[in-house]
Amino acid sequence: MHDWQTGRLVVATPALDDPNFERAVVLVLDHDPDGALGVVLNRASDLTVDDAMLPGWRDLVASPPVVFGGGPVEPNAIVALGRATAAVPADEGLSPRLDRIRLVDLDTDPVLAAVELERVRVFAGYAGWGPGQLELEVDAGAWFTLDADPRDVFTADPQRLWQDVLRRQPGELALFSTYPDDPSLN
């Protein structure tokens, strides 16, 4: 039996030394025998949604209204997540764990989408793992696997998300939220 992580967070541990994922908070969008993929929730870029040629979406984009670096895989691919105004049917939502969060087709007319969506977050690229790779990395201590809070997707303070997610955890795991950027200076 596998512990599939769809709809959960994988949060980089301080031991993870890949610069693409240093202090990353990744929402796992799909995890099955073929591998896993997700988006990094805490990598805001300087590119505004308007500059990314998505001006019609401005009113729906959560603050900060920028394109996020979703991960190192296919950095020109655009992934968008939205929070629906009402419950999302199981076949449209990402996971029952993610209340009202769904993938958004940016080719849809944003005016029509606004009827069904409260807000949207746009990502360039994604994180991806081959079959069994995420499980091995979790077992090796590179990632904490944690429950997602739907508000994580739309945080207004992405730079603090790593600390915030860890701080809300029970027990000793919360202590990691105070881990220094450079422990050698401690």
Side-chain angles (χ1 to χ4, degrees), residues 17 39 41 45 104 120 138 154 171:
D17 62 0
V39 290
L41 298 177
S45 75
V104 175
V120 173
V138 168
F154 304 105

Side-chain angles (χ1 to χ4, degrees), residues 49-50 53-61 80 85 102 104-120 122:
V49 171
D50 284 345
M53 308 296 278
L54 298 168
W57 290 93
R58 176 185 325 145
D59 293 340
L60 278 174
V61 172
T85 55
R102 66 176 191 155
V104 175
D105 179 357
L106 293 175
D107 289 331
T108 302
D109 182 333
V111 173
L112 295 176
V115 172
E116 297 179 3
L117 296 171
E118 292 176 0
R119 64 187 82 110
V120 173
V122 179

